[in-house]
Amino acid sequence: MRAVFPAIEPPAPARATTELLSAPVERLSLAGLRLLVVDDEPDARDLIATVLREAGAETREAASVEQANAEIAARVPDLLVSDIGMPARDGYSLIRTLRSTSSPNKT
């Protein structure tokens, strides 16, 4: 038995997609925001923090949930960027802890 299938070429990009991809992108500004980056991998943590700093954010870094908790106790960030797959206590654990200890006005 032999099957023959017609050749199918991928469609050309839609005009809207092409226009979207070629449109100028305004630079995102995070000026004035305090961010905490939590990741057990130093290279990933450094990369994320660098990109956020280049966008104007003030960043602090933590390599574990315990370090993140200490950073948060010292100064509450405006935004938390956390890896979820860390050893020992993961990012989900960090978020659960924050939600259970934060006041209703700080969500």
Side-chain angles (χ1 to χ4, degrees):
M1 177 174 259
R2 183 177 148 191
V4 178
F5 298 99
I8 299 174
E9 293 189 30
R15 181 176 175 189
T17 302
T18 304
E19 290 173 5
L20 178 64
L21 293 175
S22 63
V25 177
E26 292 183 30
R27 188 173 178 96
L28 176 65
S29 175
L30 300 176
L33 291 178
R34 297 182 317 241
L35 281 65
L36 176 59
V37 178
V38 185
D39 199 314
D40 61 311
E41 294 291 332
D43 291 339
R45 190 174 59 245
D46 289 343
L47 174 64
I48 294 166
T50 299
V51 169
L52 294 171
R53 274 193 302 275
E54 286 178 1
E58 174 190 323
T59 63
R60 291 180 297 148
E61 301 173 34
S64 67
V65 170
E66 291 74 20
Q67 286 182 0
N69 285 329
E71 289 288 338
I72 292 166
R75 185 171 177 194
V76 177
D78 297 313
L79 182 69
L80 172 72
V81 179
S82 178
D83 180 8
I84 56 171
M86 295 181 286
R89 295 181 59 200
D90 61 19
Y92 292 120
S93 171
L94 172 60
I95 293 167
R96 275 192 300 274
T97 301
L98 291 175
R99 286 182 175 163
S100 69
T101 59
S102 68
S103 69
N105 296 333
K106 292 184 178 180
T107 52

